[in-house]
Amino acid sequence: MTRILLLGGTTEAGALAQLLAGAGCDALYSYAGRTDAPRAQPIPTRVGGFGGVDGLAAFLAQNAISHVVDATHPFAAGISANALAACTRTGTPLIALERAPWQQGPGDDWHHVADTAAAVQALPETPSRVFLAIGKQALASFAARPHHHYLLRLVDPPQGPLPLPNASVVIARGPFDIAGDTALLRAQAITHIVARNAGGQGASAKLAAARALRLPVIMIDRPALPQRQLVTSPGAVMAWLHHGATDLGV
Ligand code: 3Y8
Ligand code: NAP
């Protein structure tokens, strides 16, 4: 009896949910509950954490989950580590659906940094206008450089005061397009962009806009994730499921 838990929250997870629904699979889409109104999915959906590895392992057992697909964002390192630990402990086959990192191309002016702290250090001394396309969880780090004007793109309106004195906010959830991102960077006279290497199509528009406008991008590289079976397309996940995946994928 195949029952799939799809750890989602990305464009690719949504594409896989469409395939699972189309194939009539018994599958459950899982959101963390980070945003006020996550996009509806074509399969049953749950929202909220599991309660760490123990909570996720118990969830797998109690819900007779036979397969787990980790289609979370490459910076969602916590849930990916928990999924691997819970699936190893319960002997549940696991596969990760991950998109390839964005690659720097001709005309790109990228400055690779390892993490948010390094991105803060990479900003210039002279007051600049910085597009922080990294959501809201990491904003406080930039309070160390209050002399810049920051453009923040958030999924939901901020609940309380922002940690940055000189900031303007755009509320949008993506996926984004090149015309829109180019117009945004021009209208806000942006001089620098800070991005995470999310990969995929959903948020790559800002990189094409930066190239067109010849703007530097401070690119935060992905955190290292534990070794687990990995595919890069929703179709490959369906093949894994239909070939009676039994290997634990670890
Ligand atoms: C809650 C689900 C879809 C999926 C859309 C993708 C594309 C837009 C790239 C920018 C970068 C950012 C952010 C981003 C991307 C897609 C995809 C992707 C980056 C939603 C979603 C959830 C989240 C959580 C949210 C984080 C935030 C990060 C915004 C839904 C829209 C900046 C990551 O307010 C908060 O607390 C937001 C938190 C984690 C990073 C952060 O630290 O703030 N994503 N994003 C998921 C859940 O609850 O489980 O609300 O519908 C999904 C998407 N985010 O179906 O169209 O890559 O697939 N999301 C980053 O890359 O740095 C935006 O603005 O250019
Ligand atoms: P994270 O730091 O890796 O995980 C933190 C905790 O959030 C996890 O331990 C788990 O709580 C819960 N969680 C995370 N993803 C979950 C899911 N899909 N279903 C149920 N619980 C989940 O996670 P994050 O970086 O905050 O990302 C949260 C969600 O946003 C994920 O769905 C991710 O795909 C999506 N997202 C993240 C980013 C990003 O930049 N990080 C970008 C786009 C989308 P418990 O320990 O209680 O189980």
Side-chain angles (χ1 to χ4, degrees):
M1 171 76 169
T2 301
R3 283 208 78 197
I4 300 144
L5 175 65
L6 172 50
L7 301 173
T10 59
T11 306
E12 287 71 16
L16 177 57
Q18 294 287 348
L19 294 181
L20 291 167
C25 295
D26 180 354
L28 179 64
Y29 192 106
S30 181
Y31 279 119
R34 277 267 180 283
T35 55
D36 295 347
R39 180 190 293 275
Q41 295 296 335
I43 54 175
T45 299
R46 66 172 296 286
V47 181
F50 295 100
V53 177
D54 294 346
L56 179 50
F59 183 91
L60 298 179
Q62 287 155 13
N63 292 275
I65 300 295
S66 62
H67 296 78
V68 175
V69 181
D70 177 359
T72 60
H73 188 278
F75 281 77
I79 186 63
S80 292
N82 289 2
L84 179 59
C87 288
T88 304
R89 183 189 302 178
T90 57
T92 309
L94 165 72
I95 198 162
L97 170 56
E98 200 174 272
R99 56 273 179 117
W102 292 316
Q103 300 291 340
Q104 184 167 357
D108 287 338
D109 176 10
W110 290 9
H111 305 263
H112 288 272
V113 293
D115 52 29
T116 305
V120 176
Q121 296 301 323
L123 289 174
E125 283 310 313
T126 48
S128 304
R129 295 181 63 83
V130 183
F131 177 30
L132 287 185
I134 55 170
K136 86 176 176 199
Q137 297 177 89
L139 292 182
S141 306
F142 292 87
R145 294 283 187 281
H147 56 287
H148 297 303
H149 177 85
Y150 291 102
L151 169 64
L152 313 179
R153 180 149 67 185
L154 305 176
V155 178
D156 297 313
Q159 293 308 314
L162 290 167
L164 303 172
N166 191 357
S168 47
V169 177
V170 165
I171 301 298
R173 87 171 46 231
F176 305 103
D177 64 68
I178 295 176
D181 276 7
T182 306
L184 178 66
L185 298 181
R186 272 211 180 98
Q188 296 278 339
I190 296 300
T191 60
H192 295 74
I193 291 152
V194 179
R196 286 196 190 128
N197 199 328
Q201 311 300 318
S204 55
K206 57 183 177 280
L207 305 178
R211 189 181 308 125
L213 299 174
R214 309 179 70 77
L215 296 178
V217 175
I218 296 169
M219 182 62 76
I220 301 172
D221 292 330
R222 296 177 172 188
L225 289 178
Q227 189 69 34
R228 73 264 208 250
Q229 190 166 356
L230 177 63
V231 292
T232 58
S233 76
V237 175
M238 298 304 284
W240 178 75
L241 290 168
H242 290 167
H243 296 156
T246 52
D247 59 316
L248 301 191
V250 292

